[in-house]
Each structure stands twice: as C-alpha cells, then as structure tokens.
Amino acid sequence: MTTAAVPGLPEPGRCLVMGVVNVTPDSFSDGGAWFDPEKAIRHGLDLVTEGADIVDVGGESTRPGAQRVSQEEELRRVVPVIEALVAENVPVSVDTMRAEVAEVAVNAGARLVNDVSGGLADPDMPRVVAAAGVPYVVMHWRGHSHDMQTRAVYTDVVREVREELAHRVDAVLQEGVDPSMIVLDPGLGFGKNPQTGHNWSLLAHLDAFTSLGHPVLVGASRKAFLTRLLAEPDGTRRPFGECDDATVAITSLVAAAGAWCVRVHRVRPNADAVRVAAAIRAAGPASAAGPVSEDSHDAGASAGYDIGSPRL
Ligand code: PMM
C-alpha cells in the first residue's frame, strides 16, 4: 500500500481531500452551479474553509455523453479561476485532458495536472507534464465521454484496469515523467458500467492499485453507480446531489484502505471522514507495537489493521 507524499502538495499525514470546482454549464454532478467565474472562485475558497487540501478546477464536462468544448473555451473558463485561487495560496489542480491547457494552468500556478485520460487524449500531455515537473494524476480511461460507456466491457475489470493503468505508467515514464510525480486513479464511472458492479469491484480491490507503487486517488463523489445503489424501490434513481452521504462512506473506507486522496464535491463531511480514518489507523495495532509516524500511511498494512486493511 503506497500513500507516499507527492512533491509540492500538502502532507497532512492522512488521506487528502480534493474539492471540485467544475467551471462548466453541464457537469452531471453540480449542473452548472459554478460556471460563473466569480461564483467558482468563491466556491473554491469556501471548499478550502471546509477543509479541502487541494481544489481541482475543470472547464470541460466529462459526464457520459458530453461533447468536447474547444481549447479556447476551456482556457477561458479555468484560467481566471486558477489565477484567483493561486493568489490566495490555494493548492490548485487543473482537471484537463489538453497539454496546452495544462501548461497554461501550471504557469498560472496550478500544482498538479489531473488528466482523466491518463495521457491518451493528448499525446503531448506526458511530455508537457514532465517538463513542468508537477505531479500528474494518471486515470484509467478508455475513450471520450460521447461513447465511453460502450467501451465498458471487461472479463475481469480489476485485472484489466490494473494492467491498462500499468501500461499508462510505463508510457508516461518513457516521456520523462518522474516516478515520484505519478498518482494513479482507477477512474470510477469512466468506461465502467454502473449496472454490472465494475465500480464496486474496483473499490473492493483498491490494493490492486496501491500495489502498483504510486499514490492512489479515488473519485466516487456523486457518480451514477451511487444514484443506482440508492434508488427508490420503484427504480427511481437518487439525484446526484443526494448521494453525498454515500460518498462519505466510500471516503472512510478508501482512506482506511490507503488512498492518498479523495476527489469530492461536498468537502466538509469528507474532510471529517479522512480524519476519522486517520485517527483509527493511528490508534491501531501498529501504534501499540511502537510509535507510528503521523505521516506514515503505510504502517498499517504490514501490521494487519482490521480497519486499514488494503482490501475493502
Ligand atoms: N471524475 C470526474 C472528473 N474528474 N478526475 C479524477 N482524477 N478522478 C475522477 O474520478 C474524476 C475526475 C467526473 O466528475 P464530476 O464531473 O462530477 O466532477
């Protein structure tokens, strides 16, 4: 289980909380609430007040079926928001699949590039990230939103997602990305079928990803598999915005299982959850056996924590 520190980002000695600011009119989870730049900036600052360690700013919706926006429009949406948050010393990540957007964002002060395509959408991305020397979230992805759900076909979802991510790691290393800068993400909801349990299998085997030797980020917040899980008896799905308690439950479990970071829309209860998970880990058998560094997320795995076992 690896949750090593990532250069240039906070190291609170627990799972980090990344708060989401979608500067889009059409993201599925928050439906355009932060499309106005002033509102987006205010929202980012509010998320920090609620306990976000990082604020993830994105200008392109990745909801299933979404069409792409132009690069100019993406830049127009995200740059002013990133600049304003950076001016307030907020650790900002940019959620983009475009190398040029990543480059402009990093020049504006973004500290992390969050690429849901793991370098597949724009072949220049890994080289640009390597040159920028910033951490890079490499997410599992099988294609753009307009048809990604047709690619959600697996014989063994955990093995295949792990192998495909491992290939992406090799590819970005070849392009010069430093291994210490790589963060992995199984890509819940992206090319995963919410009706067949793909997302639950990935969550149940987080160790398959932490064992690849890089910190792991989990983005479960308000995803469609939660709206189905929490559906009414007549099948009416729970609205996205009413899946936050379930998101917090996942946060607790993945934080205990060694996730490095969770990406969430409602920060405060998730910030509470990661602190609870850290407190339980710190009080576990490894602590009784000897002092556990507050920074060590790895200590529990070898000591065999009950909660904190890498397998959920
Ligand atoms: N999910 C969304 C957008 N960006 N980034 C990472 N690394 N992981 C995710 O799971 C992820 C992401 C889609 O969610 P949203 O549009 O509701 O914010």
Side-chain angles (χ1 to χ4, degrees):
M1 181 156 64
T2 301
T3 47
V6 176
L9 294 172
E11 290 178 49
R14 54 163 171 74
C15 179
L16 298 181
V17 176
M18 173 187 275
V20 179
V21 177
N22 287 321
V23 196
T24 57
D26 58 344
S27 285
F28 63 77
S29 53
D30 42 24
W34 320 116
F35 190 41
D36 173 65
E38 290 306 317
K39 284 189 184 153
I41 294 161
R42 182 72 261 151
H43 185 53
L45 295 173
D46 288 347
L47 295 182
V48 172
T49 305
E50 290 179 23
D53 302 296
I54 304 170
V55 173
D56 191 39
V57 179
E60 180 171 39
S61 169
T62 50
R63 76 185 151 74
Q67 298 297 322
R68 300 211 67 186
V69 296
S70 70
Q71 179 166 299
E72 295 64 40
E73 175 63 9
E74 191 182 347
L75 282 167
R76 196 189 63 73
R77 291 178 184 181
V78 298
V79 172
V81 179
I82 293 171
E83 284 174 345
L85 293 175
V86 167
E88 300 291 333
N89 288 321
V90 175
V92 170
S93 76
V94 60
D95 187 343
T96 184
M97 292 182 266
R98 289 189 168 110
E100 197 164 327
V101 175
E103 193 166 31
V104 173
V106 169
N107 288 336
R111 296 195 209 173
L112 173 111
V113 173
N114 175 23
D115 176 2
V116 299
S117 82
L120 285 169
D122 184 340
D124 291 337
M125 181 68 104
R127 192 181 40 76
V128 162
V129 173
V134 292
Y136 183 33
V137 179
V138 176
M139 200 189 83
H140 177 261
W141 184 85
R142 282 188 167 182
H144 285 289
S145 299
H146 64 91
D147 68 349
M148 69 177 171
Q149 293 316 104
T150 63
R151 298 166 203 252
V153 181
Y154 303 87
T155 308
D156 177 341
V157 67
V158 176
R159 185 176 53 75
E160 289 166 59
V161 171
R162 184 184 201 272
E163 282 176 8
E164 288 168 34
L165 263 185
H167 281 130
R168 292 312 307 149
V169 169
D170 289 345
V172 306
L173 290 174
Q174 291 278 326
E175 296 285 337
V177 175
D178 190 283
S180 69
M181 295 292 184
I182 296 175
V183 173
L184 297 179
D185 183 336
L188 301 177
F190 287 80
K192 318 293 181 311
N193 188 332
Q195 284 159 298
T196 58
H198 291 154
N199 299 289
W200 296 113
S201 296
L202 294 168
L203 286 166
H205 296 91
L206 205 68
D207 56 326
F209 304 100
T210 53
S211 65
L212 285 169
H214 298 278
V216 169
L217 186 151
V218 173
S221 185
R222 299 185 177 178
K223 294 248 163 102
F225 69 104
L226 298 179
T227 72
R228 286 178 188 274
L229 177 78
L230 304 174
E232 301 294 333
D234 70 1
T236 307
R237 286 162 60 177
R238 180 80 64 86
F240 296 114
E242 294 174 28
C243 292
D244 289 325
D245 295 343
T247 301
V248 175
I250 291 177
T251 291
S252 305
L253 292 164
V254 299
W260 167 75
C261 184
V262 289
R263 180 183 181 280
V264 297
H265 299 87
R266 274 218 62 213
V267 162
R268 193 182 159 101
N270 288 286
D272 290 354
V274 295
R275 284 164 175 78
V276 168
I280 293 174
R281 285 173 71 100
S287 307
V292 176
S293 159
E294 282 280 299
D295 289 343
S296 170
H297 291 247
D298 284 334
S302 53
Y305 282 146
D306 291 332
I307 303 172
S309 152
R311 190 166 287 264
L312 286 169

